[in-house]
Amino acid sequence: MAPEPEPTSNPSLNPNVETQSRGDQTMVEPQQQQQQQQQSSSSSSQPQPDESPASPPLPSRHTALTPGPRASRFQTTLDSALSHTLAKISWDNFAACYPHIAANAPATLRAVQSQMVDRLRSLCEKEFDSVQQSRNVVAKLNELESLVSEAERRRKAAGVGAEPPIPPHMLPPEEVLDAHLAPHLAQQQSQLNAKLQTTQAHNARLAEDIQRQRAEMASLVSLLEKLLEDVDDTNRMMDDVGDDIARETRTIEIEMAGV
């Protein structure tokens, strides 16, 4: 009877080689995906020449980043699905795949199985988190929560015998367009109202300054008119005095000429 080969002589039965190859394969795939995401993000972030001026985007609805009931349930479902999937890589199933190694080196095989499960769990959780962040899952689920609560509030406000609303796909294009533009137009209207109030307040201050300056100008004009009247009175007085001086001067010249 031929001797049984050692566990490490066959690469296919070596747990370290198999684990390393599987680990390298599982590590290469996320790295390739991350490189593709980085390339796509870098290509999208590079500035491209605009052929025509684009219209500004519609304002986004404010949503909380804290996970709501649906987001929490979604995360719980992901964790549960991952746990059930990794539960298939149990020690019994793993040992059944490698019975010889499980019989001769159970501690090594158990360590390999534990490392593989932990590695797969870490990679899956990172991938789930990356998808949730790239797709903005939490914010969208929270927005769905707000839409459902708003629809429930409107249904209760309408009453039991109220006519059901028209489905969105049955509305005319004009109403759909108005509904989409309403938030953007409301935001622009609030901004214009704020600018209008600021301009009106500024104009009111300017009007007060103009009124004050006009009052100062009127006081200065009245003071100048008084000064001009004083100058005219002084000129008239100087005219009378000048005539008297001229007569006296002529009289003195005649007397001196007679001497």
Side-chain angles (χ1 to χ4, degrees), residues 42-51:
S42 61
S43 61
S44 61
S45 61
Q46 292 179 356
Q48 298 179 357
D50 296 335
E51 297 180 356

Side-chain angles (χ1 to χ4, degrees), residues 22 26 82 86 89 115-125:
R22 291 190 179 183
T26 55
L82 181 59
L86 295 178
I89 316 176
Q115 291 178 4
M116 180 179 294
V117 171
D118 294 339
R119 180 62 178 171
L120 289 176
R121 183 184 298 276
S122 175
L123 291 176
C124 291
E125 288 177 352

Side-chain angles (χ1 to χ4, degrees), residues 117-213:
V117 171
D118 294 339
R119 180 62 178 171
L120 289 176
R121 183 184 298 276
S122 175
L123 291 176
C124 291
E125 288 177 352
K126 289 182 180 179
E127 187 66 22
F128 287 158
D129 293 339
S130 176
V131 172
Q132 290 183 27
Q133 292 179 3
S134 62
R135 299 296 182 180
N136 202 12
V137 175
V138 175
K140 290 182 179 179
L141 288 177
N142 291 341
E143 185 177 359
L144 178 61
E145 292 283 350
S146 62
L147 291 175
V148 171
S149 60
E150 179 68 17
E152 185 67 21
R153 185 189 63 80
R154 291 185 179 182
R155 188 181 66 178
K156 291 181 180 180
V160 180
E163 184 179 357
I166 302 175
H169 64 277
M170 299 295 294
L171 294 173
E174 293 79 7
E175 294 186 7
V176 176
L177 180 61
D178 293 340
H180 280 283
L181 292 178
H184 179 66
L185 295 178
Q187 182 181 9
Q188 294 296 326
Q189 184 179 6
S190 62
Q191 293 178 359
L192 291 176
N193 289 335
K195 291 181 179 180
L196 178 60
Q197 293 177 359
T198 304
T199 304
Q200 289 176 350
H202 183 65
N203 290 337
R205 289 194 298 269
L206 291 178
E208 293 177 357
D209 294 340
I210 292 173
Q211 294 296 332
R212 185 176 63 257
Q213 292 176 0

